[in-house]
mmCIF file of all heavy atoms in Angstrom:
data_model
loop_
_atom_site.group_PDB
_atom_site.id
_atom_site.type_symbol
_atom_site.label_atom_id
_atom_site.label_comp_id
_atom_site.label_asym_id
_atom_site.label_seq_id
_atom_site.Cartn_x
_atom_site.Cartn_y
_atom_site.Cartn_z
ATOM 1 N N LYS A 254 87.537 28.065 -67.925
ATOM 2 C CA LYS A 254 88.005 29.141 -68.764
ATOM 3 C C LYS A 254 87.693 28.892 -70.206
ATOM 4 O O LYS A 254 87.568 29.838 -71.043
ATOM 5 C CB LYS A 254 89.472 29.358 -68.534
ATOM 6 C CG LYS A 254 89.952 29.775 -67.256
ATOM 7 C CD LYS A 254 91.379 29.906 -67.066
ATOM 8 C CE LYS A 254 91.884 30.282 -65.672
ATOM 9 N NZ LYS A 254 93.311 30.246 -65.493
ATOM 10 N N GLU A 255 87.513 27.652 -70.604
ATOM 11 C CA GLU A 255 87.362 27.279 -72.047
ATOM 12 C C GLU A 255 85.848 27.149 -72.410
ATOM 13 O O GLU A 255 85.535 27.107 -73.701
ATOM 14 C CB GLU A 255 88.032 25.949 -72.327
ATOM 15 C CG GLU A 255 89.588 26.058 -72.111
ATOM 16 C CD GLU A 255 90.305 24.731 -72.057
ATOM 17 O OE1 GLU A 255 89.566 23.756 -72.038
ATOM 18 O OE2 GLU A 255 91.609 24.702 -71.951
ATOM 19 N N THR A 256 84.990 27.009 -71.458
ATOM 20 C CA THR A 256 83.589 26.718 -71.806
ATOM 21 C C THR A 256 82.933 27.974 -72.350
ATOM 22 O O THR A 256 83.283 29.102 -72.023
ATOM 23 C CB THR A 256 82.832 26.177 -70.575
ATOM 24 O OG1 THR A 256 81.539 25.879 -70.886
ATOM 25 C CG2 THR A 256 82.716 27.314 -69.441
ATOM 26 N N LEU A 257 81.883 27.767 -73.144
ATOM 27 C CA LEU A 257 81.176 28.841 -73.779
ATOM 28 C C LEU A 257 80.339 29.718 -72.683
ATOM 29 O O LEU A 257 80.232 30.896 -72.816
ATOM 30 C CB LEU A 257 80.243 28.319 -74.795
ATOM 31 C CG LEU A 257 80.934 27.790 -76.099
ATOM 32 C CD1 LEU A 257 79.880 27.224 -77.076
ATOM 33 C CD2 LEU A 257 81.703 28.887 -76.776
ATOM 34 N N ARG A 258 79.762 28.981 -71.721
ATOM 35 C CA ARG A 258 78.833 29.649 -70.737
ATOM 36 C C ARG A 258 79.694 30.039 -69.461
ATOM 37 O O ARG A 258 79.329 29.572 -68.369
ATOM 38 C CB ARG A 258 77.637 28.834 -70.397
ATOM 39 C CG ARG A 258 76.651 28.625 -71.595
ATOM 40 C CD ARG A 258 75.789 27.421 -71.464
ATOM 41 N NE ARG A 258 74.802 27.474 -70.442
ATOM 42 C CZ ARG A 258 73.620 28.029 -70.585
ATOM 43 N NH1 ARG A 258 73.358 28.523 -71.702
ATOM 44 N NH2 ARG A 258 72.734 28.075 -69.512
ATOM 45 N N THR A 259 80.839 30.717 -69.680
ATOM 46 C CA THR A 259 81.715 30.974 -68.585
ATOM 47 C C THR A 259 81.241 31.554 -67.455
ATOM 48 O O THR A 259 81.421 31.211 -66.317
ATOM 49 C CB THR A 259 82.945 31.811 -69.200
ATOM 50 O OG1 THR A 259 83.527 31.186 -70.322
ATOM 51 C CG2 THR A 259 84.039 31.970 -68.142
ATOM 52 N N GLU A 260 80.377 32.663 -67.662
ATOM 53 C CA GLU A 260 79.726 33.373 -66.538
ATOM 54 C C GLU A 260 78.952 32.393 -65.656
ATOM 55 O O GLU A 260 79.102 32.540 -64.379
ATOM 56 C CB GLU A 260 79.024 34.631 -66.964
ATOM 57 C CG GLU A 260 78.552 35.491 -65.860
ATOM 58 C CD GLU A 260 77.827 36.787 -66.354
ATOM 59 O OE1 GLU A 260 77.966 37.098 -67.718
ATOM 60 O OE2 GLU A 260 77.105 37.373 -65.492
ATOM 61 N N ILE A 261 78.085 31.689 -66.212
ATOM 62 C CA ILE A 261 77.190 30.799 -65.441
ATOM 63 C C ILE A 261 78.069 29.754 -64.690
ATOM 64 O O ILE A 261 77.824 29.413 -63.588
ATOM 65 C CB ILE A 261 76.227 30.126 -66.361
ATOM 66 C CG1 ILE A 261 75.156 31.246 -66.907
ATOM 67 C CG2 ILE A 261 75.409 28.999 -65.715
ATOM 68 C CD1 ILE A 261 74.170 30.707 -68.033
ATOM 69 N N VAL A 262 79.010 29.175 -65.416
ATOM 70 C CA VAL A 262 79.897 28.148 -64.862
ATOM 71 C C VAL A 262 80.602 28.634 -63.713
ATOM 72 O O VAL A 262 80.562 28.015 -62.550
ATOM 73 C CB VAL A 262 80.849 27.632 -65.945
ATOM 74 C CG1 VAL A 262 81.855 26.691 -65.219
ATOM 75 C CG2 VAL A 262 80.009 26.827 -66.906
ATOM 76 N N ASN A 263 81.178 29.778 -63.774
ATOM 77 C CA ASN A 263 81.953 30.351 -62.620
ATOM 78 C C ASN A 263 81.164 30.662 -61.513
ATOM 79 O O ASN A 263 81.579 30.480 -60.266
ATOM 80 C CB ASN A 263 82.800 31.567 -63.087
ATOM 81 C CG ASN A 263 83.932 31.343 -64.032
ATOM 82 O OD1 ASN A 263 84.512 30.138 -63.800
ATOM 83 N ND2 ASN A 263 84.328 32.245 -64.933
ATOM 84 N N THR A 264 79.946 31.199 -61.665
ATOM 85 C CA THR A 264 78.963 31.382 -60.548
ATOM 86 C C THR A 264 78.583 30.067 -59.946
ATOM 87 O O THR A 264 78.606 29.963 -58.669
ATOM 88 C CB THR A 264 77.717 32.120 -61.020
ATOM 89 O OG1 THR A 264 78.124 33.285 -61.726
ATOM 90 C CG2 THR A 264 76.806 32.495 -59.813
ATOM 91 N N SER A 265 78.283 29.096 -60.735
ATOM 92 C CA SER A 265 77.901 27.805 -60.241
ATOM 93 C C SER A 265 78.994 27.146 -59.508
ATOM 94 O O SER A 265 78.640 26.486 -58.463
ATOM 95 C CB SER A 265 77.457 26.857 -61.425
ATOM 96 O OG SER A 265 77.210 25.614 -60.915
ATOM 97 N N LEU A 266 80.248 27.271 -59.923
ATOM 98 C CA LEU A 266 81.403 26.622 -59.233
ATOM 99 C C LEU A 266 81.509 27.148 -57.843
ATOM 100 O O LEU A 266 82.262 26.511 -57.107
ATOM 101 C CB LEU A 266 82.635 26.780 -60.049
ATOM 102 C CG LEU A 266 82.730 25.945 -61.296
ATOM 103 C CD1 LEU A 266 84.042 26.145 -62.102
ATOM 104 C CD2 LEU A 266 82.589 24.482 -61.030
ATOM 105 N N GLU A 267 80.968 28.222 -57.477
ATOM 106 C CA GLU A 267 81.059 28.716 -56.045
ATOM 107 C C GLU A 267 80.269 27.697 -55.213
ATOM 108 O O GLU A 267 80.540 27.668 -53.916
ATOM 109 C CB GLU A 267 80.478 30.161 -55.910
ATOM 110 C CG GLU A 267 81.191 31.210 -56.705
ATOM 111 C CD GLU A 267 80.548 32.560 -56.655
ATOM 112 O OE1 GLU A 267 79.513 32.726 -55.877
ATOM 113 O OE2 GLU A 267 80.970 33.466 -57.366
ATOM 114 N N ASN A 268 79.261 26.952 -55.694
ATOM 115 C CA ASN A 268 78.626 25.915 -54.917
ATOM 116 C C ASN A 268 79.278 24.538 -55.092
ATOM 117 O O ASN A 268 78.820 23.684 -54.400
ATOM 118 C CB ASN A 268 77.179 25.755 -55.600
ATOM 119 C CG ASN A 268 76.426 27.036 -55.692
ATOM 120 O OD1 ASN A 268 76.463 27.862 -54.852
ATOM 121 N ND2 ASN A 268 75.735 27.328 -56.907
ATOM 122 N N ALA A 269 80.374 24.418 -55.839
ATOM 123 C CA ALA A 269 81.006 23.142 -56.144
ATOM 124 C C ALA A 269 81.936 22.787 -54.898
ATOM 125 O O ALA A 269 82.315 23.570 -54.117
ATOM 126 C CB ALA A 269 81.844 23.184 -57.331
ATOM 127 N N ALA A 270 82.225 21.483 -54.815
ATOM 128 C CA ALA A 270 83.013 21.029 -53.808
ATOM 129 C C ALA A 270 83.910 19.773 -54.280
ATOM 130 O O ALA A 270 83.349 18.972 -54.979
ATOM 131 C CB ALA A 270 82.310 20.588 -52.552
ATOM 132 N N ILE A 271 85.139 19.670 -53.887
ATOM 133 C CA ILE A 271 86.041 18.494 -54.000
ATOM 134 C C ILE A 271 86.374 18.052 -52.640
ATOM 135 O O ILE A 271 87.046 18.780 -51.872
ATOM 136 C CB ILE A 271 87.272 18.886 -54.865
ATOM 137 C CG1 ILE A 271 86.962 19.421 -56.288
ATOM 138 C CG2 ILE A 271 88.206 17.683 -54.956
ATOM 139 C CD1 ILE A 271 88.039 19.954 -57.064
ATOM 140 N N LEU A 272 85.956 16.847 -52.307
ATOM 141 C CA LEU A 272 86.086 16.312 -50.975
ATOM 142 C C LEU A 272 86.883 15.101 -50.900
ATOM 143 O O LEU A 272 86.638 14.153 -51.751
ATOM 144 C CB LEU A 272 84.726 16.059 -50.375
ATOM 145 C CG LEU A 272 83.688 17.278 -50.358
ATOM 146 C CD1 LEU A 272 82.367 16.797 -49.841
ATOM 147 C CD2 LEU A 272 84.165 18.304 -49.414
ATOM 148 N N VAL A 273 87.835 14.971 -50.059
ATOM 149 C CA VAL A 273 88.711 13.839 -49.828
ATOM 150 C C VAL A 273 88.344 13.025 -48.640
ATOM 151 O O VAL A 273 88.204 13.693 -47.554
ATOM 152 C CB VAL A 273 90.183 14.219 -49.834
ATOM 153 C CG1 VAL A 273 91.102 13.041 -49.751
ATOM 154 C CG2 VAL A 273 90.553 15.066 -51.081
ATOM 155 N N VAL A 274 88.220 11.759 -48.752
ATOM 156 C CA VAL A 274 87.916 10.866 -47.609
ATOM 157 C C VAL A 274 88.908 9.715 -47.533
ATOM 158 O O VAL A 274 89.732 9.501 -48.376
ATOM 159 C CB VAL A 274 86.461 10.256 -47.854
ATOM 160 C CG1 VAL A 274 85.491 11.365 -47.916
ATOM 161 C CG2 VAL A 274 86.480 9.460 -49.072
ATOM 162 N N ASP A 275 88.869 9.046 -46.384
ATOM 163 C CA ASP A 275 89.834 7.964 -46.190
ATOM 164 C C ASP A 275 89.334 6.617 -46.653
ATOM 165 O O ASP A 275 90.177 5.717 -46.889
ATOM 166 C CB ASP A 275 90.026 7.798 -44.686
ATOM 167 C CG ASP A 275 90.654 8.998 -44.101
ATOM 168 O OD1 ASP A 275 91.531 9.656 -44.735
ATOM 169 O OD2 ASP A 275 90.381 9.483 -42.868
ATOM 170 N N SER A 276 88.078 6.495 -46.902
ATOM 171 C CA SER A 276 87.640 5.076 -47.389
ATOM 172 C C SER A 276 86.494 5.207 -48.303
ATOM 173 O O SER A 276 85.681 6.253 -48.321
ATOM 174 C CB SER A 276 87.252 4.196 -46.183
ATOM 175 O OG SER A 276 86.098 4.693 -45.601
ATOM 176 N N MET A 277 86.189 4.128 -49.106
ATOM 177 C CA MET A 277 85.006 4.247 -49.927
ATOM 178 C C MET A 277 83.655 4.075 -49.173
ATOM 179 O O MET A 277 82.702 4.611 -49.655
ATOM 180 C CB MET A 277 85.105 2.999 -50.841
ATOM 181 C CG MET A 277 84.122 2.916 -52.149
ATOM 182 S SD MET A 277 84.207 4.576 -53.041
ATOM 183 C CE MET A 277 85.914 4.527 -53.701
ATOM 184 N N ASP A 278 83.739 3.562 -48.061
ATOM 185 C CA ASP A 278 82.507 3.436 -47.167
ATOM 186 C C ASP A 278 82.138 4.819 -46.820
ATOM 187 O O ASP A 278 80.964 5.179 -46.769
ATOM 188 C CB ASP A 278 82.908 2.669 -45.902
ATOM 189 C CG ASP A 278 82.749 1.189 -46.023
ATOM 190 O OD1 ASP A 278 82.258 0.751 -47.169
ATOM 191 O OD2 ASP A 278 83.203 0.494 -45.222
ATOM 192 N N GLU A 279 83.146 5.831 -46.561
ATOM 193 C CA GLU A 279 82.769 7.244 -46.281
ATOM 194 C C GLU A 279 82.133 7.919 -47.560
ATOM 195 O O GLU A 279 81.268 8.678 -47.383
ATOM 196 C CB GLU A 279 84.144 7.926 -45.897
ATOM 197 C CG GLU A 279 84.599 7.710 -44.519
ATOM 198 C CD GLU A 279 85.798 8.536 -44.233
ATOM 199 O OE1 GLU A 279 85.516 9.777 -43.835
ATOM 200 O OE2 GLU A 279 86.899 8.045 -44.227
ATOM 201 N N CYS A 280 82.653 7.489 -48.698
ATOM 202 C CA CYS A 280 82.103 8.039 -49.909
ATOM 203 C C CYS A 280 80.622 7.642 -49.978
ATOM 204 O O CYS A 280 79.716 8.564 -50.248
ATOM 205 C CB CYS A 280 82.765 7.473 -51.128
ATOM 206 S SG CYS A 280 84.468 8.222 -51.380
ATOM 207 N N ILE A 281 80.332 6.435 -49.690
ATOM 208 C CA ILE A 281 78.833 5.936 -49.842
ATOM 209 C C ILE A 281 77.956 6.616 -48.753
ATOM 210 O O ILE A 281 76.846 6.953 -49.106
ATOM 211 C CB ILE A 281 78.831 4.397 -49.701
ATOM 212 C CG1 ILE A 281 79.657 3.720 -50.810
ATOM 213 C CG2 ILE A 281 77.468 3.903 -49.542
ATOM 214 C CD1 ILE A 281 79.912 2.236 -50.738
ATOM 215 N N THR A 282 78.581 6.647 -47.521
ATOM 216 C CA THR A 282 77.799 7.298 -46.479
ATOM 217 C C THR A 282 77.427 8.739 -46.737
ATOM 218 O O THR A 282 76.261 9.155 -46.596
ATOM 219 C CB THR A 282 78.568 7.271 -45.131
ATOM 220 O OG1 THR A 282 78.731 5.795 -44.756
ATOM 221 C CG2 THR A 282 77.743 7.874 -44.044
ATOM 222 N N PHE A 283 78.456 9.448 -47.230
ATOM 223 C CA PHE A 283 78.284 10.851 -47.679
ATOM 224 C C PHE A 283 77.165 10.962 -48.785
ATOM 225 O O PHE A 283 76.341 11.797 -48.771
ATOM 226 C CB PHE A 283 79.428 11.576 -47.992
ATOM 227 C CG PHE A 283 79.302 13.000 -48.364
ATOM 228 C CD1 PHE A 283 79.092 13.920 -47.502
ATOM 229 C CD2 PHE A 283 79.278 13.395 -49.732
ATOM 230 C CE1 PHE A 283 78.881 15.359 -47.851
ATOM 231 C CE2 PHE A 283 79.006 14.754 -50.121
ATOM 232 C CZ PHE A 283 78.864 15.612 -49.106
ATOM 233 N N SER A 284 77.327 10.148 -49.821
ATOM 234 C CA SER A 284 76.372 10.180 -50.974
ATOM 235 C C SER A 284 75.041 9.915 -50.509
ATOM 236 O O SER A 284 74.006 10.533 -50.858
ATOM 237 C CB SER A 284 76.789 9.045 -51.973
ATOM 238 O OG SER A 284 75.792 9.029 -53.100
ATOM 239 N N ASN A 285 74.747 9.002 -49.551
ATOM 240 C CA ASN A 285 73.453 8.749 -49.159
ATOM 241 C C ASN A 285 72.947 9.879 -48.260
ATOM 242 O O ASN A 285 71.661 10.163 -48.282
ATOM 243 C CB ASN A 285 73.414 7.493 -48.212
ATOM 244 C CG ASN A 285 73.537 6.182 -49.104
ATOM 245 O OD1 ASN A 285 72.992 6.219 -50.360
ATOM 246 N ND2 ASN A 285 74.129 5.127 -48.679
ATOM 247 N N GLU A 286 73.834 10.538 -47.621
ATOM 248 C CA GLU A 286 73.396 11.738 -46.858
ATOM 249 C C GLU A 286 72.944 12.943 -47.845
ATOM 250 O O GLU A 286 72.060 13.658 -47.561
ATOM 251 C CB GLU A 286 74.539 12.181 -45.839
ATOM 252 C CG GLU A 286 74.018 13.272 -44.867
ATOM 253 C CD GLU A 286 75.124 13.699 -43.910
ATOM 254 O OE1 GLU A 286 76.210 13.102 -43.972
ATOM 255 O OE2 GLU A 286 74.880 14.507 -43.147
ATOM 256 N N PHE A 287 73.737 13.021 -48.870
ATOM 257 C CA PHE A 287 73.565 14.094 -49.773
ATOM 258 C C PHE A 287 72.465 13.848 -50.688
ATOM 259 O O PHE A 287 71.738 14.795 -51.061
ATOM 260 C CB PHE A 287 74.877 14.144 -50.661
ATOM 261 C CG PHE A 287 75.004 15.371 -51.608
ATOM 262 C CD1 PHE A 287 75.539 16.540 -51.224
ATOM 263 C CD2 PHE A 287 74.429 15.237 -52.944
ATOM 264 C CE1 PHE A 287 75.613 17.617 -52.086
ATOM 265 C CE2 PHE A 287 74.604 16.383 -53.742
ATOM 266 C CZ PHE A 287 75.115 17.518 -53.387
ATOM 267 N N ALA A 288 72.066 12.612 -50.992
ATOM 268 C CA ALA A 288 70.932 12.174 -51.805
ATOM 269 C C ALA A 288 70.888 12.898 -53.151
ATOM 270 O O ALA A 288 69.972 13.678 -53.371
ATOM 271 C CB ALA A 288 69.583 12.385 -51.043
ATOM 272 N N PRO A 289 71.924 12.813 -54.040
ATOM 273 C CA PRO A 289 72.005 13.500 -55.210
ATOM 274 C C PRO A 289 70.872 13.169 -56.322
ATOM 275 O O PRO A 289 70.410 12.219 -56.389
ATOM 276 C CB PRO A 289 73.387 13.149 -55.776
ATOM 277 C CG PRO A 289 73.520 11.725 -55.399
ATOM 278 C CD PRO A 289 72.900 11.675 -53.981
ATOM 279 N N GLU A 290 70.727 14.283 -57.051
ATOM 280 C CA GLU A 290 69.885 14.131 -58.206
ATOM 281 C C GLU A 290 70.554 13.196 -59.239
ATOM 282 O O GLU A 290 69.969 12.170 -59.714
ATOM 283 C CB GLU A 290 69.663 15.549 -58.935
ATOM 284 C CG GLU A 290 68.871 15.385 -60.284
ATOM 285 C CD GLU A 290 68.940 16.713 -60.989
ATOM 286 O OE1 GLU A 290 69.839 17.468 -60.725
ATOM 287 O OE2 GLU A 290 68.123 16.844 -61.899
ATOM 288 N N HIS A 291 71.796 13.446 -59.523
ATOM 289 C CA HIS A 291 72.571 12.533 -60.415
ATOM 290 C C HIS A 291 73.775 11.963 -59.567
ATOM 291 O O HIS A 291 74.386 12.840 -58.978
ATOM 292 C CB HIS A 291 73.179 13.483 -61.619
ATOM 293 C CG HIS A 291 72.205 14.063 -62.479
ATOM 294 N ND1 HIS A 291 71.899 15.371 -62.454
ATOM 295 C CD2 HIS A 291 71.303 13.550 -63.406
ATOM 296 C CE1 HIS A 291 70.993 15.716 -63.290
ATOM 297 N NE2 HIS A 291 70.613 14.588 -63.829
ATOM 298 N N LEU A 292 73.989 10.773 -59.688
ATOM 299 C CA LEU A 292 75.181 10.158 -59.014
ATOM 300 C C LEU A 292 76.060 9.453 -60.095
ATOM 301 O O LEU A 292 75.513 8.579 -60.805
ATOM 302 C CB LEU A 292 74.682 9.248 -57.923
ATOM 303 C CG LEU A 292 75.828 8.334 -57.325
ATOM 304 C CD1 LEU A 292 76.832 9.169 -56.563
ATOM 305 C CD2 LEU A 292 75.297 7.292 -56.334
ATOM 306 N N GLU A 293 77.237 9.786 -60.174
ATOM 307 C CA GLU A 293 78.214 9.094 -61.024
ATOM 308 C C GLU A 293 79.119 8.279 -60.163
ATOM 309 O O GLU A 293 79.635 8.769 -59.168
ATOM 310 C CB GLU A 293 79.021 10.049 -61.852
ATOM 311 C CG GLU A 293 78.271 10.787 -62.821
ATOM 312 C CD GLU A 293 79.096 11.593 -63.866
ATOM 313 O OE1 GLU A 293 80.342 11.535 -63.748
ATOM 314 O OE2 GLU A 293 78.506 12.300 -64.813
ATOM 315 N N ILE A 294 79.219 6.896 -60.511
ATOM 316 C CA ILE A 294 80.157 6.124 -59.858
ATOM 317 C C ILE A 294 81.376 5.774 -60.745
ATOM 318 O O ILE A 294 81.275 4.996 -61.693
ATOM 319 C CB ILE A 294 79.487 4.684 -59.353
ATOM 320 C CG1 ILE A 294 78.290 5.090 -58.442
ATOM 321 C CG2 ILE A 294 80.389 3.649 -58.817
ATOM 322 C CD1 ILE A 294 77.358 3.935 -58.150
ATOM 323 N N MET A 295 82.455 6.334 -60.496
ATOM 324 C CA MET A 295 83.734 6.240 -61.320
ATOM 325 C C MET A 295 84.755 5.479 -60.391
ATOM 326 O O MET A 295 85.744 6.246 -59.973
ATOM 327 C CB MET A 295 84.053 7.551 -61.820
ATOM 328 C CG MET A 295 83.007 8.198 -62.706
ATOM 329 S SD MET A 295 83.351 9.895 -63.135
ATOM 330 C CE MET A 295 84.455 9.644 -64.479
#
């Protein structure tokens, strides 16, 4: 709601996902299947 490019952001967020897993191994497995352009490890 606070960003300048609100319309673009809101449309893009329709493609977004927040996923919960049981283990870090699942995170890694999913990441390798997803093969992202950018990967952040936090």
Side-chain angles (χ1 to χ4, degrees):
K254 295 175 183 177
E255 300 168 351
T256 186
L257 292 176
R258 292 160 69 88
T259 305
E260 187 176 343
I261 292 173
V262 166
N263 285 334
T264 303
S265 173
L266 288 177
E267 294 176 12
N268 308 316
I271 298 174
L272 305 173
V273 180
V274 297
D275 294 324
S276 70
M277 193 52 62
D278 284 344
E279 285 184 80
C280 288
I281 295 169
T282 299
F283 179 77
S284 177
N285 284 330
E286 187 179 3
F287 190 85
E290 175 192 20
H291 304 103
L292 172 63
E293 290 189 1
I294 299 174
M295 302 171 79

